[in-house]
Amino acid sequence: EVQLVESGGGLVQPGGSLRLSCAASGFAFGSYRMTWVRRAPGKGLEWVSTISTGGASAYYADSVKGRFTISRHNAKNTLYLQLHSLKTEDTAMYYCARGSDSDYDLRGQGTQVTVSS
């Protein structure tokens, strides 16, 4: 079955850190760019970051640049997003997606990140 399954979300205080994971199955993971997007409460989907197939290139939204790091382990079919210096405005459901920032064709069910004191 072709699917993406996110994990690693949770409740964290402002300034804290989390690492999100996305397990891919059913397709040639290493052949696709991969992306993280998020949806904050009451808002639309926001692109967060995209990584190239081999992991050498990464792109970030201005709102997370310098605080989040995207990475991948192709042998494990897994995508990661390391979140540092979290802010309340980072509270959102985070989804991994197959493809680039505005051109993806598969998305997981999401993992919730809540930043609150």
PDB file of all heavy atoms in Angstrom, residues 69-88:
ATOM      1  N   THR A  69      14.910  21.888  10.475  1.00  0.00           N
ATOM      2  CA  THR A  69      15.820  21.203   9.568  1.00  0.00           C
ATOM      3  C   THR A  69      15.147  19.964   9.008  1.00  0.00           C
ATOM      4  O   THR A  69      14.704  19.096   9.776  1.00  0.00           O
ATOM      5  CB  THR A  69      17.118  20.797  10.275  1.00  0.00           C
ATOM      6  OG1 THR A  69      17.755  21.948  10.829  1.00  0.00           O
ATOM      7  CG2 THR A  69      18.067  20.118   9.299  1.00  0.00           C
ATOM      8  N   ILE A  70      15.085  19.893   7.691  1.00  0.00           N
ATOM      9  CA  ILE A  70      14.528  18.724   7.020  1.00  0.00           C
ATOM     10  C   ILE A  70      15.669  17.785   6.650  1.00  0.00           C
ATOM     11  O   ILE A  70      16.770  18.225   6.297  1.00  0.00           O
ATOM     12  CB  ILE A  70      13.715  19.135   5.772  1.00  0.00           C
ATOM     13  CG1 ILE A  70      12.902  17.962   5.214  1.00  0.00           C
ATOM     14  CG2 ILE A  70      14.615  19.741   4.700  1.00  0.00           C
ATOM     15  CD1 ILE A  70      11.925  18.370   4.101  1.00  0.00           C
ATOM     16  N   SER A  71      15.415  16.483   6.739  1.00  0.00           N
ATOM     17  CA  SER A  71      16.416  15.502   6.343  1.00  0.00           C
ATOM     18  C   SER A  71      15.693  14.216   5.935  1.00  0.00           C
ATOM     19  O   SER A  71      14.482  14.079   6.155  1.00  0.00           O
ATOM     20  CB  SER A  71      17.416  15.227   7.473  1.00  0.00           C
ATOM     21  OG  SER A  71      16.757  14.698   8.602  1.00  0.00           O
ATOM     22  N   ARG A  72      16.450  13.303   5.379  1.00  0.00           N
ATOM     23  CA  ARG A  72      15.853  12.040   4.961  1.00  0.00           C
ATOM     24  C   ARG A  72      16.878  10.919   5.052  1.00  0.00           C
ATOM     25  O   ARG A  72      18.083  11.163   4.938  1.00  0.00           O
ATOM     26  CB  ARG A  72      15.316  12.140   3.533  1.00  0.00           C
ATOM     27  CG  ARG A  72      16.370  12.383   2.471  1.00  0.00           C
ATOM     28  CD  ARG A  72      15.752  12.749   1.136  1.00  0.00           C
ATOM     29  NE  ARG A  72      14.871  11.700   0.621  1.00  0.00           N
ATOM     30  CZ  ARG A  72      13.964  11.892  -0.331  1.00  0.00           C
ATOM     31  NH1 ARG A  72      13.800  13.096  -0.853  1.00  0.00           N
ATOM     32  NH2 ARG A  72      13.229  10.883  -0.772  1.00  0.00           N
ATOM     33  N   HIS A  73      16.381   9.705   5.215  1.00  0.00           N
ATOM     34  CA  HIS A  73      17.226   8.517   5.218  1.00  0.00           C
ATOM     35  C   HIS A  73      16.606   7.573   4.193  1.00  0.00           C
ATOM     36  O   HIS A  73      15.630   6.862   4.486  1.00  0.00           O
ATOM     37  CB  HIS A  73      17.245   7.893   6.604  1.00  0.00           C
ATOM     38  CG  HIS A  73      18.329   6.881   6.799  1.00  0.00           C
ATOM     39  ND1 HIS A  73      18.536   5.814   5.946  1.00  0.00           N
ATOM     40  CD2 HIS A  73      19.284   6.788   7.747  1.00  0.00           C
ATOM     41  CE1 HIS A  73      19.551   5.107   6.357  1.00  0.00           C
ATOM     42  NE2 HIS A  73      20.034   5.667   7.455  1.00  0.00           N
ATOM     43  N   ASN A  74      17.145   7.563   2.990  1.00  0.00           N
ATOM     44  CA  ASN A  74      16.509   6.813   1.916  1.00  0.00           C
ATOM     45  C   ASN A  74      16.539   5.302   2.144  1.00  0.00           C
ATOM     46  O   ASN A  74      15.616   4.595   1.740  1.00  0.00           O
ATOM     47  CB  ASN A  74      17.152   7.164   0.575  1.00  0.00           C
ATOM     48  CG  ASN A  74      16.720   8.536   0.074  1.00  0.00           C
ATOM     49  OD1 ASN A  74      15.760   9.119   0.578  1.00  0.00           O
ATOM     50  ND2 ASN A  74      17.440   9.057  -0.904  1.00  0.00           N
ATOM     51  N   ALA A  75      17.569   4.806   2.792  1.00  0.00           N
ATOM     52  CA  ALA A  75      17.632   3.366   3.057  1.00  0.00           C
ATOM     53  C   ALA A  75      16.535   2.931   4.035  1.00  0.00           C
ATOM     54  O   ALA A  75      16.119   1.772   4.026  1.00  0.00           O
ATOM     55  CB  ALA A  75      18.997   2.994   3.598  1.00  0.00           C
ATOM     56  N   LYS A  76      16.076   3.869   4.869  1.00  0.00           N
ATOM     57  CA  LYS A  76      15.014   3.573   5.831  1.00  0.00           C
ATOM     58  C   LYS A  76      13.653   4.076   5.361  1.00  0.00           C
ATOM     59  O   LYS A  76      12.664   3.962   6.094  1.00  0.00           O
ATOM     60  CB  LYS A  76      15.337   4.200   7.188  1.00  0.00           C
ATOM     61  CG  LYS A  76      16.556   3.616   7.867  1.00  0.00           C
ATOM     62  CD  LYS A  76      16.752   4.246   9.238  1.00  0.00           C
ATOM     63  CE  LYS A  76      17.940   3.635   9.964  1.00  0.00           C
ATOM     64  NZ  LYS A  76      18.150   4.243  11.303  1.00  0.00           N
ATOM     65  N   ASN A  77      13.611   4.667   4.158  1.00  0.00           N
ATOM     66  CA  ASN A  77      12.347   5.218   3.630  1.00  0.00           C
ATOM     67  C   ASN A  77      11.688   6.171   4.623  1.00  0.00           C
ATOM     68  O   ASN A  77      10.465   6.119   4.851  1.00  0.00           O
ATOM     69  CB  ASN A  77      11.373   4.092   3.272  1.00  0.00           C
ATOM     70  CG  ASN A  77      11.835   3.273   2.092  1.00  0.00           C
ATOM     71  OD1 ASN A  77      12.611   3.738   1.259  1.00  0.00           O
ATOM     72  ND2 ASN A  77      11.369   2.041   2.023  1.00  0.00           N
ATOM     73  N   THR A  78      12.487   7.041   5.206  1.00  0.00           N
ATOM     74  CA  THR A  78      11.983   7.916   6.255  1.00  0.00           C
ATOM     75  C   THR A  78      12.405   9.359   6.025  1.00  0.00           C
ATOM     76  O   THR A  78      13.560   9.635   5.682  1.00  0.00           O
ATOM     77  CB  THR A  78      12.459   7.444   7.635  1.00  0.00           C
ATOM     78  OG1 THR A  78      12.054   6.093   7.838  1.00  0.00           O
ATOM     79  CG2 THR A  78      11.857   8.306   8.743  1.00  0.00           C
ATOM     80  N   LEU A  79      11.470  10.252   6.250  1.00  0.00           N
ATOM     81  CA  LEU A  79      11.672  11.695   6.180  1.00  0.00           C
ATOM     82  C   LEU A  79      11.583  12.251   7.584  1.00  0.00           C
ATOM     83  O   LEU A  79      10.793  11.770   8.401  1.00  0.00           O
ATOM     84  CB  LEU A  79      10.585  12.310   5.301  1.00  0.00           C
ATOM     85  CG  LEU A  79      10.568  13.823   5.142  1.00  0.00           C
ATOM     86  CD1 LEU A  79      11.738  14.283   4.275  1.00  0.00           C
ATOM     87  CD2 LEU A  79       9.239  14.281   4.542  1.00  0.00           C
ATOM     88  N   TYR A  80      12.388  13.273   7.863  1.00  0.00           N
ATOM     89  CA  TYR A  80      12.397  13.879   9.196  1.00  0.00           C
ATOM     90  C   TYR A  80      12.201  15.392   9.098  1.00  0.00           C
ATOM     91  O   TYR A  80      12.499  16.021   8.088  1.00  0.00           O
ATOM     92  CB  TYR A  80      13.731  13.614   9.892  1.00  0.00           C
ATOM     93  CG  TYR A  80      14.077  12.156  10.024  1.00  0.00           C
ATOM     94  CD1 TYR A  80      14.963  11.558   9.147  1.00  0.00           C
ATOM     95  CD2 TYR A  80      13.518  11.372  11.033  1.00  0.00           C
ATOM     96  CE1 TYR A  80      15.293  10.213   9.252  1.00  0.00           C
ATOM     97  CE2 TYR A  80      13.852  10.030  11.152  1.00  0.00           C
ATOM     98  CZ  TYR A  80      14.732   9.460  10.247  1.00  0.00           C
ATOM     99  OH  TYR A  80      15.045   8.137  10.363  1.00  0.00           O
ATOM    100  N   LEU A  81      11.744  15.960  10.208  1.00  0.00           N
ATOM    101  CA  LEU A  81      11.742  17.402  10.378  1.00  0.00           C
ATOM    102  C   LEU A  81      12.111  17.687  11.826  1.00  0.00           C
ATOM    103  O   LEU A  81      11.371  17.337  12.742  1.00  0.00           O
ATOM    104  CB  LEU A  81      10.387  18.019  10.050  1.00  0.00           C
ATOM    105  CG  LEU A  81      10.357  19.543  10.044  1.00  0.00           C
ATOM    106  CD1 LEU A  81      11.196  20.098   8.884  1.00  0.00           C
ATOM    107  CD2 LEU A  81       8.922  20.081   9.954  1.00  0.00           C
ATOM    108  N   GLN A  82      13.271  18.290  12.000  1.00  0.00           N
ATOM    109  CA  GLN A  82      13.737  18.680  13.332  1.00  0.00           C
ATOM    110  C   GLN A  82      13.265  20.106  13.597  1.00  0.00           C
ATOM    111  O   GLN A  82      13.554  21.009  12.802  1.00  0.00           O
ATOM    112  CB  GLN A  82      15.253  18.602  13.416  1.00  0.00           C
ATOM    113  CG  GLN A  82      15.813  18.957  14.773  1.00  0.00           C
ATOM    114  CD  GLN A  82      15.541  17.892  15.820  1.00  0.00           C
ATOM    115  OE1 GLN A  82      15.827  16.725  15.627  1.00  0.00           O
ATOM    116  NE2 GLN A  82      14.970  18.320  16.946  1.00  0.00           N
ATOM    117  N   LEU A  83      12.539  20.287  14.685  1.00  0.00           N
ATOM    118  CA  LEU A  83      11.994  21.588  15.035  1.00  0.00           C
ATOM    119  C   LEU A  83      12.702  22.107  16.287  1.00  0.00           C
ATOM    120  O   LEU A  83      12.695  21.429  17.324  1.00  0.00           O
ATOM    121  CB  LEU A  83      10.494  21.489  15.330  1.00  0.00           C
ATOM    122  CG  LEU A  83       9.510  21.186  14.194  1.00  0.00           C
ATOM    123  CD1 LEU A  83       9.718  19.819  13.591  1.00  0.00           C
ATOM    124  CD2 LEU A  83       8.092  21.321  14.686  1.00  0.00           C
ATOM    125  N   HIS A  84      13.292  23.279  16.193  1.00  0.00           N
ATOM    126  CA  HIS A  84      13.951  23.916  17.332  1.00  0.00           C
ATOM    127  C   HIS A  84      13.333  25.292  17.569  1.00  0.00           C
ATOM    128  O   HIS A  84      12.664  25.855  16.694  1.00  0.00           O
ATOM    129  CB  HIS A  84      15.446  24.084  17.063  1.00  0.00           C
ATOM    130  CG  HIS A  84      16.227  22.820  17.050  1.00  0.00           C
ATOM    131  ND1 HIS A  84      16.318  21.991  18.148  1.00  0.00           N
ATOM    132  CD2 HIS A  84      16.968  22.243  16.071  1.00  0.00           C
ATOM    133  CE1 HIS A  84      17.093  20.957  17.838  1.00  0.00           C
ATOM    134  NE2 HIS A  84      17.479  21.078  16.592  1.00  0.00           N
ATOM    135  N   SER A  85      13.573  25.832  18.759  1.00  0.00           N
ATOM    136  CA  SER A  85      13.120  27.191  19.103  1.00  0.00           C
ATOM    137  C   SER A  85      11.654  27.390  18.751  1.00  0.00           C
ATOM    138  O   SER A  85      11.277  28.382  18.115  1.00  0.00           O
ATOM    139  CB  SER A  85      13.985  28.228  18.375  1.00  0.00           C
ATOM    140  OG  SER A  85      15.348  28.051  18.680  1.00  0.00           O
ATOM    141  N   LEU A  86      10.839  26.449  19.167  1.00  0.00           N
ATOM    142  CA  LEU A  86       9.430  26.468  18.779  1.00  0.00           C
ATOM    143  C   LEU A  86       8.700  27.659  19.372  1.00  0.00           C
ATOM    144  O   LEU A  86       8.971  28.088  20.504  1.00  0.00           O
ATOM    145  CB  LEU A  86       8.757  25.162  19.196  1.00  0.00           C
ATOM    146  CG  LEU A  86       9.060  23.998  18.240  1.00  0.00           C
ATOM    147  CD1 LEU A  86       8.780  22.656  18.895  1.00  0.00           C
ATOM    148  CD2 LEU A  86       8.250  24.148  16.961  1.00  0.00           C
ATOM    149  N   LYS A  87       7.771  28.178  18.585  1.00  0.00           N
ATOM    150  CA  LYS A  87       6.957  29.320  18.973  1.00  0.00           C
ATOM    151  C   LYS A  87       5.486  28.887  18.998  1.00  0.00           C
ATOM    152  O   LYS A  87       5.103  27.910  18.350  1.00  0.00           O
ATOM    153  CB  LYS A  87       7.127  30.452  17.956  1.00  0.00           C
ATOM    154  CG  LYS A  87       8.564  30.866  17.712  1.00  0.00           C
ATOM    155  CD  LYS A  87       8.645  31.909  16.611  1.00  0.00           C
ATOM    156  CE  LYS A  87      10.083  32.306  16.324  1.00  0.00           C
ATOM    157  NZ  LYS A  87      10.162  33.322  15.230  1.00  0.00           N
ATOM    158  N   THR A  88       4.671  29.655  19.688  1.00  0.00           N
ATOM    159  CA  THR A  88       3.248  29.314  19.748  1.00  0.00           C
ATOM    160  C   THR A  88       2.635  29.281  18.351  1.00  0.00           C
ATOM    161  O   THR A  88       1.743  28.477  18.083  1.00  0.00           O
ATOM    162  CB  THR A  88       2.483  30.292  20.641  1.00  0.00           C
ATOM    163  OG1 THR A  88       2.717  31.623  20.178  1.00  0.00           O
ATOM    164  CG2 THR A  88       2.944  30.179  22.094  1.00  0.00           C
TER     165      THR A  88
END
